[in-house]
Amino acid sequence: WMELVKILENIRKDITRSIEEEVRCLPLLDHELLHSEAELQLAHLLLSCLGMSYIHATPSSPAQSLPSQLAIPWYGVSSKLGIPPIIVHSTISLCNWRKLDPSGPMDIDNLTLLYSLDSSRDLEVFFLIPLLVELSSVPAVRAIITAQLSLARSTKADLL
């Protein structure tokens, strides 16, 4: 799955290849071998990229069904995670990024996606902005938790 996602854009550009055919040539991998949350999230991300690419390979005529080598593991992984078999915010944004400079700031110019549907910076930014919005809310969430704990302990000094 990973290798195919890495070359999706190249396949789209090559008139001798098709995403549909590449997906149909995949073996049916056993998703039951995936156990950790990280493995399942990565599998969901990759299968979502492949699924959306397969469905929309011909934008004017979206696919109405998926081949079993994609549908079965995508549904199984999604069921284990409790999320639908479609690209969702948690997998495409929150679990799919890295810093370009590990010691650099957590800002849009220093972030990139691990996997995507294409290599355009526009799509990358579209998926990274929600991550940054959520990150900016962390101080507010911490303050709310502190306030709730202070009220529960009747120690209102922490509220100041």
Side-chain angles (χ1 to χ4, degrees), residues 64-115:
Q64 299 300 304
S65 63
L66 296 171
S68 60
Q69 54 270 57
L70 182 55
I72 292 170
W74 196 10
Y75 178 80
V77 166
S78 298
S79 294
K80 283 185 173 186
L81 289 171
I83 56 180
I86 193 164
I87 288 182
V88 295
H89 170 63
S90 62
T91 53
I92 197 69
S93 293
L94 301 182
C95 300
N96 184 33
W97 59 273
R98 70 176 177 85
K99 285 182 170 183
L100 295 168
D101 173 4
S103 61
M106 188 73 171
D107 65 30
I108 197 69
D109 295 325
N110 193 39
L111 295 175
T112 188
L113 293 178
L114 300 172
Y115 301 99

mmCIF file of all heavy atoms in Angstrom, residues 64-115:
data_model
loop_
_atom_site.group_PDB
_atom_site.id
_atom_site.type_symbol
_atom_site.label_atom_id
_atom_site.label_comp_id
_atom_site.label_asym_id
_atom_site.label_seq_id
_atom_site.Cartn_x
_atom_site.Cartn_y
_atom_site.Cartn_z
ATOM 1 N N GLN A 64 -18.038 3.194 -8.823
ATOM 2 C CA GLN A 64 -19.187 2.883 -7.966
ATOM 3 C C GLN A 64 -18.888 1.764 -6.972
ATOM 4 O O GLN A 64 -19.685 1.497 -6.077
ATOM 5 C CB GLN A 64 -20.395 2.504 -8.827
ATOM 6 C CG GLN A 64 -20.847 3.625 -9.757
ATOM 7 C CD GLN A 64 -21.240 4.874 -8.998
ATOM 8 O OE1 GLN A 64 -22.096 4.843 -8.128
ATOM 9 N NE2 GLN A 64 -20.592 5.984 -9.306
ATOM 10 N N SER A 65 -17.762 1.086 -7.148
ATOM 11 C CA SER A 65 -17.376 0.019 -6.225
ATOM 12 C C SER A 65 -15.858 -0.073 -6.179
ATOM 13 O O SER A 65 -15.161 0.502 -7.019
ATOM 14 C CB SER A 65 -17.974 -1.315 -6.669
ATOM 15 O OG SER A 65 -17.464 -1.689 -7.932
ATOM 16 N N LEU A 66 -15.374 -0.788 -5.190
ATOM 17 C CA LEU A 66 -13.941 -0.981 -5.005
ATOM 18 C C LEU A 66 -13.589 -2.454 -5.146
ATOM 19 O O LEU A 66 -14.387 -3.316 -4.760
ATOM 20 C CB LEU A 66 -13.519 -0.518 -3.607
ATOM 21 C CG LEU A 66 -13.689 0.953 -3.275
ATOM 22 C CD1 LEU A 66 -13.439 1.191 -1.798
ATOM 23 C CD2 LEU A 66 -12.748 1.794 -4.112
ATOM 24 N N PRO A 67 -12.401 -2.764 -5.641
ATOM 25 C CA PRO A 67 -11.985 -4.160 -5.694
ATOM 26 C C PRO A 67 -11.751 -4.699 -4.275
ATOM 27 O O PRO A 67 -11.432 -3.932 -3.357
ATOM 28 C CB PRO A 67 -10.697 -4.127 -6.508
ATOM 29 C CG PRO A 67 -10.206 -2.731 -6.421
ATOM 30 C CD PRO A 67 -11.403 -1.856 -6.196
ATOM 31 N N SER A 68 -11.897 -5.987 -4.112
ATOM 32 C CA SER A 68 -11.798 -6.601 -2.783
ATOM 33 C C SER A 68 -10.453 -6.352 -2.120
ATOM 34 O O SER A 68 -10.388 -6.205 -0.891
ATOM 35 C CB SER A 68 -12.085 -8.096 -2.860
ATOM 36 O OG SER A 68 -11.159 -8.725 -3.724
ATOM 37 N N GLN A 69 -9.367 -6.287 -2.897
ATOM 38 C CA GLN A 69 -8.054 -6.081 -2.290
ATOM 39 C C GLN A 69 -7.912 -4.700 -1.654
ATOM 40 O O GLN A 69 -6.989 -4.464 -0.888
ATOM 41 C CB GLN A 69 -6.915 -6.382 -3.262
ATOM 42 C CG GLN A 69 -6.954 -5.665 -4.573
ATOM 43 C CD GLN A 69 -7.704 -6.430 -5.646
ATOM 44 O OE1 GLN A 69 -8.861 -6.773 -5.475
ATOM 45 N NE2 GLN A 69 -7.058 -6.671 -6.771
ATOM 46 N N LEU A 70 -8.841 -3.821 -1.922
ATOM 47 C CA LEU A 70 -8.878 -2.510 -1.274
ATOM 48 C C LEU A 70 -10.041 -2.447 -0.282
ATOM 49 O O LEU A 70 -9.874 -2.027 0.865
ATOM 50 C CB LEU A 70 -9.010 -1.406 -2.322
ATOM 51 C CG LEU A 70 -9.024 0.040 -1.852
ATOM 52 C CD1 LEU A 70 -7.795 0.374 -1.017
ATOM 53 C CD2 LEU A 70 -9.099 0.977 -3.041
ATOM 54 N N ALA A 71 -11.213 -2.878 -0.702
ATOM 55 C CA ALA A 71 -12.416 -2.759 0.123
ATOM 56 C C ALA A 71 -12.326 -3.561 1.427
ATOM 57 O O ALA A 71 -12.682 -3.057 2.495
ATOM 58 C CB ALA A 71 -13.640 -3.203 -0.678
ATOM 59 N N ILE A 72 -11.857 -4.793 1.358
ATOM 60 C CA ILE A 72 -11.831 -5.655 2.550
ATOM 61 C C ILE A 72 -10.902 -5.116 3.632
ATOM 62 O O ILE A 72 -11.322 -4.930 4.782
ATOM 63 C CB ILE A 72 -11.511 -7.116 2.167
ATOM 64 C CG1 ILE A 72 -12.686 -7.701 1.377
ATOM 65 C CG2 ILE A 72 -11.208 -7.954 3.411
ATOM 66 C CD1 ILE A 72 -12.411 -9.052 0.740
ATOM 67 N N PRO A 73 -9.638 -4.821 3.316
ATOM 68 C CA PRO A 73 -8.785 -4.299 4.395
ATOM 69 C C PRO A 73 -9.195 -2.902 4.870
ATOM 70 O O PRO A 73 -9.102 -2.602 6.061
ATOM 71 C CB PRO A 73 -7.381 -4.293 3.792
ATOM 72 C CG PRO A 73 -7.565 -4.373 2.323
ATOM 73 C CD PRO A 73 -8.872 -5.060 2.097
ATOM 74 N N TRP A 74 -9.679 -2.066 3.949
ATOM 75 C CA TRP A 74 -10.083 -0.711 4.344
ATOM 76 C C TRP A 74 -11.250 -0.776 5.316
ATOM 77 O O TRP A 74 -11.257 -0.099 6.350
ATOM 78 C CB TRP A 74 -10.438 0.091 3.102
ATOM 79 C CG TRP A 74 -10.500 1.577 3.277
ATOM 80 C CD1 TRP A 74 -10.103 2.326 4.350
ATOM 81 C CD2 TRP A 74 -10.988 2.510 2.316
ATOM 82 N NE1 TRP A 74 -10.321 3.667 4.107
ATOM 83 C CE2 TRP A 74 -10.854 3.802 2.866
ATOM 84 C CE3 TRP A 74 -11.520 2.388 1.043
ATOM 85 C CZ2 TRP A 74 -11.243 4.949 2.194
ATOM 86 C CZ3 TRP A 74 -11.895 3.533 0.368
ATOM 87 C CH2 TRP A 74 -11.749 4.791 0.939
ATOM 88 N N TYR A 75 -12.221 -1.612 5.019
ATOM 89 C CA TYR A 75 -13.362 -1.764 5.924
ATOM 90 C C TYR A 75 -12.920 -2.374 7.255
ATOM 91 O O TYR A 75 -13.326 -1.907 8.329
ATOM 92 C CB TYR A 75 -14.453 -2.630 5.278
ATOM 93 C CG TYR A 75 -15.624 -2.843 6.194
ATOM 94 C CD1 TYR A 75 -16.601 -1.862 6.339
ATOM 95 C CD2 TYR A 75 -15.741 -4.010 6.944
ATOM 96 C CE1 TYR A 75 -17.663 -2.036 7.207
ATOM 97 C CE2 TYR A 75 -16.804 -4.193 7.818
ATOM 98 C CZ TYR A 75 -17.760 -3.214 7.946
ATOM 99 O OH TYR A 75 -18.801 -3.384 8.816
ATOM 100 N N GLY A 76 -12.064 -3.394 7.191
ATOM 101 C CA GLY A 76 -11.603 -4.047 8.418
ATOM 102 C C GLY A 76 -10.813 -3.121 9.315
ATOM 103 O O GLY A 76 -11.031 -3.066 10.535
ATOM 104 N N VAL A 77 -9.883 -2.381 8.732
ATOM 105 C CA VAL A 77 -9.074 -1.428 9.497
ATOM 106 C C VAL A 77 -9.968 -0.328 10.070
ATOM 107 O O VAL A 77 -9.854 0.038 11.246
ATOM 108 C CB VAL A 77 -7.952 -0.833 8.614
ATOM 109 C CG1 VAL A 77 -7.321 0.387 9.260
ATOM 110 C CG2 VAL A 77 -6.898 -1.891 8.310
ATOM 111 N N SER A 78 -10.873 0.174 9.261
ATOM 112 C CA SER A 78 -11.785 1.224 9.715
ATOM 113 C C SER A 78 -12.642 0.745 10.875
ATOM 114 O O SER A 78 -12.841 1.473 11.858
ATOM 115 C CB SER A 78 -12.682 1.681 8.555
ATOM 116 O OG SER A 78 -11.913 2.232 7.517
ATOM 117 N N SER A 79 -13.124 -0.479 10.783
ATOM 118 C CA SER A 79 -13.939 -1.044 11.867
ATOM 119 C C SER A 79 -13.147 -1.135 13.162
ATOM 120 O O SER A 79 -13.649 -0.805 14.234
ATOM 121 C CB SER A 79 -14.458 -2.429 11.472
ATOM 122 O OG SER A 79 -15.345 -2.316 10.392
ATOM 123 N N LYS A 80 -11.903 -1.585 13.066
ATOM 124 C CA LYS A 80 -11.058 -1.682 14.267
ATOM 125 C C LYS A 80 -10.823 -0.307 14.900
ATOM 126 O O LYS A 80 -10.743 -0.192 16.112
ATOM 127 C CB LYS A 80 -9.713 -2.321 13.929
ATOM 128 C CG LYS A 80 -9.760 -3.816 13.768
ATOM 129 C CD LYS A 80 -8.350 -4.354 13.546
ATOM 130 C CE LYS A 80 -8.335 -5.862 13.541
ATOM 131 N NZ LYS A 80 -6.957 -6.384 13.466
ATOM 132 N N LEU A 81 -10.703 0.719 14.058
ATOM 133 C CA LEU A 81 -10.470 2.078 14.569
ATOM 134 C C LEU A 81 -11.762 2.786 14.970
ATOM 135 O O LEU A 81 -11.720 3.827 15.623
ATOM 136 C CB LEU A 81 -9.746 2.919 13.504
ATOM 137 C CG LEU A 81 -8.290 2.565 13.246
ATOM 138 C CD1 LEU A 81 -7.770 3.311 12.022
ATOM 139 C CD2 LEU A 81 -7.430 2.877 14.469
ATOM 140 N N GLY A 82 -12.897 2.255 14.533
ATOM 141 C CA GLY A 82 -14.179 2.888 14.840
ATOM 142 C C GLY A 82 -14.431 4.140 14.018
ATOM 143 O O GLY A 82 -15.099 5.067 14.483
ATOM 144 N N ILE A 83 -13.872 4.179 12.820
ATOM 145 C CA ILE A 83 -14.073 5.323 11.923
ATOM 146 C C ILE A 83 -14.510 4.806 10.552
ATOM 147 O O ILE A 83 -14.298 3.644 10.232
ATOM 148 C CB ILE A 83 -12.797 6.194 11.800
ATOM 149 C CG1 ILE A 83 -11.595 5.364 11.326
ATOM 150 C CG2 ILE A 83 -12.492 6.875 13.116
ATOM 151 C CD1 ILE A 83 -10.308 6.157 11.173
ATOM 152 N N PRO A 84 -15.112 5.659 9.738
ATOM 153 C CA PRO A 84 -15.597 5.185 8.431
ATOM 154 C C PRO A 84 -14.451 4.960 7.442
ATOM 155 O O PRO A 84 -13.381 5.554 7.570
ATOM 156 C CB PRO A 84 -16.504 6.328 7.957
ATOM 157 C CG PRO A 84 -16.015 7.532 8.679
ATOM 158 C CD PRO A 84 -15.472 7.056 10.000
ATOM 159 N N PRO A 85 -14.685 4.117 6.444
ATOM 160 C CA PRO A 85 -13.671 3.906 5.408
ATOM 161 C C PRO A 85 -13.698 5.033 4.366
ATOM 162 O O PRO A 85 -14.222 4.888 3.265
ATOM 163 C CB PRO A 85 -14.063 2.551 4.800
ATOM 164 C CG PRO A 85 -15.522 2.439 5.043
ATOM 165 C CD PRO A 85 -15.799 3.186 6.319
ATOM 166 N N ILE A 86 -13.147 6.142 4.768
ATOM 167 C CA ILE A 86 -13.036 7.334 3.924
ATOM 168 C C ILE A 86 -11.934 8.190 4.538
ATOM 169 O O ILE A 86 -11.565 7.991 5.696
ATOM 170 C CB ILE A 86 -14.380 8.102 3.850
ATOM 171 C CG1 ILE A 86 -14.356 9.141 2.756
ATOM 172 C CG2 ILE A 86 -14.759 8.699 5.185
ATOM 173 C CD1 ILE A 86 -15.721 9.669 2.346
ATOM 174 N N ILE A 87 -11.397 9.115 3.793
ATOM 175 C CA ILE A 87 -10.382 9.997 4.386
ATOM 176 C C ILE A 87 -11.038 10.797 5.505
ATOM 177 O O ILE A 87 -12.059 11.440 5.295
ATOM 178 C CB ILE A 87 -9.776 10.948 3.331
ATOM 179 C CG1 ILE A 87 -8.878 10.164 2.384
ATOM 180 C CG2 ILE A 87 -8.995 12.075 3.998
ATOM 181 C CD1 ILE A 87 -8.201 11.006 1.332
ATOM 182 N N VAL A 88 -10.465 10.713 6.689
ATOM 183 C CA VAL A 88 -10.978 11.472 7.833
ATOM 184 C C VAL A 88 -9.859 12.353 8.398
ATOM 185 O O VAL A 88 -8.673 12.078 8.210
ATOM 186 C CB VAL A 88 -11.555 10.553 8.937
ATOM 187 C CG1 VAL A 88 -12.786 9.806 8.458
ATOM 188 C CG2 VAL A 88 -10.519 9.578 9.460
ATOM 189 N N HIS A 89 -10.264 13.386 9.072
ATOM 190 C CA HIS A 89 -9.349 14.378 9.631
ATOM 191 C C HIS A 89 -8.253 13.741 10.480
ATOM 192 O O HIS A 89 -7.078 14.094 10.365
ATOM 193 C CB HIS A 89 -10.176 15.390 10.437
ATOM 194 C CG HIS A 89 -9.380 16.327 11.267
ATOM 195 N ND1 HIS A 89 -8.489 17.234 10.733
ATOM 196 C CD2 HIS A 89 -9.339 16.508 12.606
ATOM 197 C CE1 HIS A 89 -7.931 17.940 11.703
ATOM 198 N NE2 HIS A 89 -8.425 17.517 12.843
ATOM 199 N N SER A 90 -8.622 12.795 11.332
ATOM 200 C CA SER A 90 -7.632 12.227 12.248
ATOM 201 C C SER A 90 -6.504 11.518 11.520
ATOM 202 O O SER A 90 -5.353 11.575 11.964
ATOM 203 C CB SER A 90 -8.297 11.278 13.246
ATOM 204 O OG SER A 90 -8.902 10.198 12.569
ATOM 205 N N THR A 91 -6.793 10.861 10.408
ATOM 206 C CA THR A 91 -5.718 10.149 9.719
ATOM 207 C C THR A 91 -4.988 11.012 8.691
ATOM 208 O O THR A 91 -3.779 10.910 8.565
ATOM 209 C CB THR A 91 -6.228 8.857 9.043
ATOM 210 O OG1 THR A 91 -7.340 9.149 8.213
ATOM 211 C CG2 THR A 91 -6.613 7.820 10.053
ATOM 212 N N ILE A 92 -5.679 11.856 7.966
ATOM 213 C CA ILE A 92 -5.011 12.628 6.910
ATOM 214 C C ILE A 92 -4.300 13.859 7.468
ATOM 215 O O ILE A 92 -3.305 14.315 6.894
ATOM 216 C CB ILE A 92 -5.983 13.019 5.768
ATOM 217 C CG1 ILE A 92 -5.217 13.438 4.501
ATOM 218 C CG2 ILE A 92 -6.933 14.119 6.202
ATOM 219 C CD1 ILE A 92 -4.488 12.351 3.802
ATOM 220 N N SER A 93 -4.759 14.387 8.597
ATOM 221 C CA SER A 93 -4.131 15.596 9.159
ATOM 222 C C SER A 93 -3.352 15.310 10.443
ATOM 223 O O SER A 93 -2.151 15.565 10.510
ATOM 224 C CB SER A 93 -5.192 16.660 9.456
ATOM 225 O OG SER A 93 -5.770 17.140 8.279
ATOM 226 N N LEU A 94 -4.022 14.795 11.436
ATOM 227 C CA LEU A 94 -3.409 14.686 12.761
ATOM 228 C C LEU A 94 -2.309 13.630 12.853
ATOM 229 O O LEU A 94 -1.382 13.775 13.651
ATOM 230 C CB LEU A 94 -4.488 14.400 13.815
ATOM 231 C CG LEU A 94 -5.598 15.441 13.934
ATOM 232 C CD1 LEU A 94 -6.559 15.054 15.045
ATOM 233 C CD2 LEU A 94 -5.038 16.832 14.150
ATOM 234 N N CYS A 95 -2.404 12.573 12.071
ATOM 235 C CA CYS A 95 -1.432 11.476 12.150
ATOM 236 C C CYS A 95 -0.556 11.384 10.906
ATOM 237 O O CYS A 95 0.001 10.321 10.632
ATOM 238 C CB CYS A 95 -2.171 10.150 12.328
ATOM 239 S SG CYS A 95 -3.185 10.063 13.787
ATOM 240 N N ASN A 96 -0.423 12.457 10.155
ATOM 241 C CA ASN A 96 0.190 12.361 8.836
ATOM 242 C C ASN A 96 1.095 13.550 8.517
ATOM 243 O O ASN A 96 1.010 14.137 7.470
ATOM 244 C CB ASN A 96 -0.924 12.251 7.783
ATOM 245 C CG ASN A 96 -0.396 12.043 6.389
ATOM 246 O OD1 ASN A 96 0.623 11.413 6.185
ATOM 247 N ND2 ASN A 96 -1.104 12.587 5.423
ATOM 248 N N TRP A 97 1.964 13.898 9.426
ATOM 249 C CA TRP A 97 2.811 15.053 9.193
ATOM 250 C C TRP A 97 4.172 14.834 9.841
ATOM 251 O O TRP A 97 4.356 13.967 10.681
ATOM 252 C CB TRP A 97 2.184 16.328 9.766
ATOM 253 C CG TRP A 97 1.936 16.243 11.237
ATOM 254 C CD1 TRP A 97 0.833 15.743 11.870
ATOM 255 C CD2 TRP A 97 2.835 16.635 12.282
ATOM 256 N NE1 TRP A 97 0.988 15.797 13.233
ATOM 257 C CE2 TRP A 97 2.213 16.347 13.511
ATOM 258 C CE3 TRP A 97 4.100 17.194 12.295
ATOM 259 C CZ2 TRP A 97 2.818 16.606 14.735
ATOM 260 C CZ3 TRP A 97 4.707 17.449 13.518
ATOM 261 C CH2 TRP A 97 4.045 17.168 14.723
ATOM 262 N N ARG A 98 5.098 15.654 9.415
ATOM 263 C CA ARG A 98 6.416 15.715 10.054
ATOM 264 C C ARG A 98 6.978 17.113 9.851
ATOM 265 O O ARG A 98 6.565 17.839 8.945
ATOM 266 C CB ARG A 98 7.376 14.669 9.492
ATOM 267 C CG ARG A 98 7.824 14.934 8.086
ATOM 268 C CD ARG A 98 8.862 13.910 7.601
ATOM 269 N NE ARG A 98 9.215 14.162 6.229
ATOM 270 C CZ ARG A 98 10.149 15.024 5.819
ATOM 271 N NH1 ARG A 98 10.837 15.723 6.700
ATOM 272 N NH2 ARG A 98 10.401 15.198 4.538
ATOM 273 N N LYS A 99 7.906 17.466 10.717
ATOM 274 C CA LYS A 99 8.612 18.733 10.568
ATOM 275 C C LYS A 99 9.717 18.544 9.531
ATOM 276 O O LYS A 99 10.416 17.529 9.543
ATOM 277 C CB LYS A 99 9.244 19.171 11.884
ATOM 278 C CG LYS A 99 8.276 19.715 12.900
ATOM 279 C CD LYS A 99 9.071 20.151 14.117
ATOM 280 C CE LYS A 99 8.264 20.930 15.099
ATOM 281 N NZ LYS A 99 9.101 21.383 16.232
ATOM 282 N N LEU A 100 9.878 19.519 8.670
ATOM 283 C CA LEU A 100 10.986 19.487 7.720
ATOM 284 C C LEU A 100 12.313 19.643 8.455
ATOM 285 O O LEU A 100 13.275 18.938 8.193
ATOM 286 C CB LEU A 100 10.812 20.589 6.670
ATOM 287 C CG LEU A 100 9.580 20.423 5.769
ATOM 288 C CD1 LEU A 100 9.333 21.686 4.966
ATOM 289 C CD2 LEU A 100 9.749 19.219 4.864
ATOM 290 N N ASP A 101 12.339 20.574 9.392
ATOM 291 C CA ASP A 101 13.488 20.776 10.283
ATOM 292 C C ASP A 101 13.026 20.369 11.678
ATOM 293 O O ASP A 101 12.249 21.095 12.310
ATOM 294 C CB ASP A 101 13.918 22.242 10.263
ATOM 295 C CG ASP A 101 14.991 22.564 11.290
ATOM 296 O OD1 ASP A 101 15.481 21.642 11.983
ATOM 297 O OD2 ASP A 101 15.354 23.755 11.414
ATOM 298 N N PRO A 102 13.465 19.216 12.169
ATOM 299 C CA PRO A 102 12.973 18.727 13.470
ATOM 300 C C PRO A 102 13.145 19.706 14.628
ATOM 301 O O PRO A 102 12.347 19.706 15.558
ATOM 302 C CB PRO A 102 13.812 17.463 13.707
ATOM 303 C CG PRO A 102 14.237 17.029 12.345
ATOM 304 C CD PRO A 102 14.408 18.299 11.548
ATOM 305 N N SER A 103 14.153 20.568 14.561
ATOM 306 C CA SER A 103 14.343 21.532 15.644
ATOM 307 C C SER A 103 13.663 22.865 15.345
ATOM 308 O O SER A 103 13.697 23.775 16.166
ATOM 309 C CB SER A 103 15.841 21.751 15.901
ATOM 310 O OG SER A 103 16.453 22.275 14.739
ATOM 311 N N GLY A 104 13.044 22.964 14.192
ATOM 312 C CA GLY A 104 12.385 24.210 13.796
ATOM 313 C C GLY A 104 11.005 24.362 14.406
ATOM 314 O O GLY A 104 10.512 23.487 15.122
ATOM 315 N N PRO A 105 10.367 25.481 14.090
ATOM 316 C CA PRO A 105 9.054 25.784 14.686
ATOM 317 C C PRO A 105 7.933 24.894 14.113
ATOM 318 O O PRO A 105 8.071 24.302 13.045
ATOM 319 C CB PRO A 105 8.829 27.251 14.287
ATOM 320 C CG PRO A 105 9.582 27.392 13.011
ATOM 321 C CD PRO A 105 10.800 26.518 13.149
ATOM 322 N N MET A 106 6.863 24.850 14.851
ATOM 323 C CA MET A 106 5.674 24.116 14.413
ATOM 324 C C MET A 106 4.810 25.115 13.649
ATOM 325 O O MET A 106 3.819 25.648 14.153
ATOM 326 C CB MET A 106 4.935 23.570 15.646
ATOM 327 C CG MET A 106 3.823 22.648 15.341
ATOM 328 S SD MET A 106 4.456 21.083 14.805
ATOM 329 C CE MET A 106 2.944 20.164 14.799
ATOM 330 N N ASP A 107 5.221 25.406 12.397
ATOM 331 C CA ASP A 107 4.442 26.318 11.567
ATOM 332 C C ASP A 107 4.326 25.746 10.150
ATOM 333 O O ASP A 107 5.024 24.797 9.799
ATOM 334 C CB ASP A 107 4.988 27.747 11.585
ATOM 335 C CG ASP A 107 6.366 27.882 10.966
ATOM 336 O OD1 ASP A 107 6.714 27.110 10.056
ATOM 337 O OD2 ASP A 107 7.110 28.784 11.385
ATOM 338 N N ILE A 108 3.467 26.334 9.373
ATOM 339 C CA ILE A 108 3.119 25.779 8.064
ATOM 340 C C ILE A 108 4.335 25.641 7.147
ATOM 341 O O ILE A 108 4.404 24.706 6.344
ATOM 342 C CB ILE A 108 1.987 26.608 7.392
ATOM 343 C CG1 ILE A 108 1.341 25.823 6.252
ATOM 344 C CG2 ILE A 108 2.492 27.948 6.912
ATOM 345 C CD1 ILE A 108 0.548 24.645 6.679
ATOM 346 N N ASP A 109 5.309 26.540 7.275
ATOM 347 C CA ASP A 109 6.489 26.476 6.411
ATOM 348 C C ASP A 109 7.449 25.356 6.799
ATOM 349 O O ASP A 109 8.344 25.016 6.017
ATOM 350 C CB ASP A 109 7.232 27.820 6.420
ATOM 351 C CG ASP A 109 6.400 28.929 5.813
ATOM 352 O OD1 ASP A 109 5.645 28.647 4.863
ATOM 353 O OD2 ASP A 109 6.486 30.068 6.297
ATOM 354 N N ASN A 110 7.274 24.805 7.992
ATOM 355 C CA ASN A 110 8.172 23.751 8.469
ATOM 356 C C ASN A 110 7.468 22.392 8.556
ATOM 357 O O ASN A 110 7.990 21.473 9.163
ATOM 358 C CB ASN A 110 8.765 24.139 9.828
ATOM 359 C CG ASN A 110 9.922 23.249 10.205
ATOM 360 O OD1 ASN A 110 10.737 22.869 9.364
ATOM 361 N ND2 ASN A 110 9.993 22.884 11.472
ATOM 362 N N LEU A 111 6.275 22.288 7.984
ATOM 363 C CA LEU A 111 5.530 21.028 8.038
ATOM 364 C C LEU A 111 5.303 20.461 6.651
ATOM 365 O O LEU A 111 5.158 21.212 5.678
ATOM 366 C CB LEU A 111 4.168 21.252 8.708
ATOM 367 C CG LEU A 111 4.171 21.659 10.171
ATOM 368 C CD1 LEU A 111 2.749 21.955 10.631
ATOM 369 C CD2 LEU A 111 4.810 20.599 11.044
ATOM 370 N N THR A 112 5.246 19.154 6.576
ATOM 371 C CA THR A 112 4.902 18.471 5.335
ATOM 372 C C THR A 112 4.104 17.215 5.683
ATOM 373 O O THR A 112 4.188 16.711 6.806
ATOM 374 C CB THR A 112 6.163 18.117 4.518
ATOM 375 O OG1 THR A 112 5.772 17.636 3.242
ATOM 376 C CG2 THR A 112 7.011 17.068 5.212
ATOM 377 N N LEU A 113 3.328 16.749 4.732
ATOM 378 C CA LEU A 113 2.590 15.506 4.926
ATOM 379 C C LEU A 113 3.502 14.316 4.670
ATOM 380 O O LEU A 113 4.409 14.382 3.839
ATOM 381 C CB LEU A 113 1.399 15.434 3.965
ATOM 382 C CG LEU A 113 0.269 16.427 4.184
ATOM 383 C CD1 LEU A 113 -0.807 16.237 3.110
ATOM 384 C CD2 LEU A 113 -0.338 16.294 5.568
ATOM 385 N N LEU A 114 3.246 13.223 5.350
ATOM 386 C CA LEU A 114 3.963 11.983 5.079
ATOM 387 C C LEU A 114 3.447 11.351 3.792
ATOM 388 O O LEU A 114 4.206 10.881 2.962
ATOM 389 C CB LEU A 114 3.805 11.011 6.252
ATOM 390 C CG LEU A 114 4.326 11.505 7.601
ATOM 391 C CD1 LEU A 114 3.947 10.538 8.705
ATOM 392 C CD2 LEU A 114 5.826 11.708 7.540
ATOM 393 N N TYR A 115 2.118 11.321 3.643
ATOM 394 C CA TYR A 115 1.465 10.734 2.467
ATOM 395 C C TYR A 115 0.323 11.641 2.041
ATOM 396 O O TYR A 115 -0.328 12.254 2.872
ATOM 397 C CB TYR A 115 0.921 9.339 2.781
ATOM 398 C CG TYR A 115 1.998 8.393 3.220
ATOM 399 C CD1 TYR A 115 2.212 8.136 4.571
ATOM 400 C CD2 TYR A 115 2.829 7.787 2.295
ATOM 401 C CE1 TYR A 115 3.228 7.291 4.982
ATOM 402 C CE2 TYR A 115 3.848 6.942 2.698
ATOM 403 C CZ TYR A 115 4.041 6.701 4.042
ATOM 404 O OH TYR A 115 5.049 5.873 4.436
#
